[in-house]
Amino acid sequence: MWDDYDRRALDRLMGKCTEDEAGCWVWKGSAPGGQNRRRSGARRYGDISYRGRQVVVHRLAYSLMVADIPDGLELDHLCRNTLCVRPDHLEPVTGAENLRRAALARSGGDAWPNAA
């Protein structure tokens, strides 16, 4: 159930995002280990304080804008941009499927699994 705290959290989250040329809503806030940039190829996920704890920003965005993430699933960034919080660029999948898609994208396969 949404409340005023959730509305303010979503406003704060979206206030730290910009849309890029690919249509991603890119998080410009903080990320563990450094200011939201990839270093030495390391993947970075943004984080934000929510209800007294640090949470991964794309998971919070999805939960607030779409629905809770089902138990046992994680969010795949269909756009392959780990700083993207746009809900239609995120899909709940198993860990195995997420790894399979990431490997396919790294090998030059289609980054968007549902592309025609």
Side-chain angles (χ1 to χ4, degrees), residues 25 42 44 71 78 92:
W25 297 347
R44 300 266 182 235
D71 289 341
L78 301 174

Side-chain angles (χ1 to χ4, degrees), residues 58-75:
H58 68 281
R59 294 179 61 85
L60 178 61
Y62 189 90
S63 294
L64 290 175
M65 290 188 254
V66 179
D68 289 337
I69 302 162
D71 289 341
L73 298 183
E74 52 192 53
L75 292 177

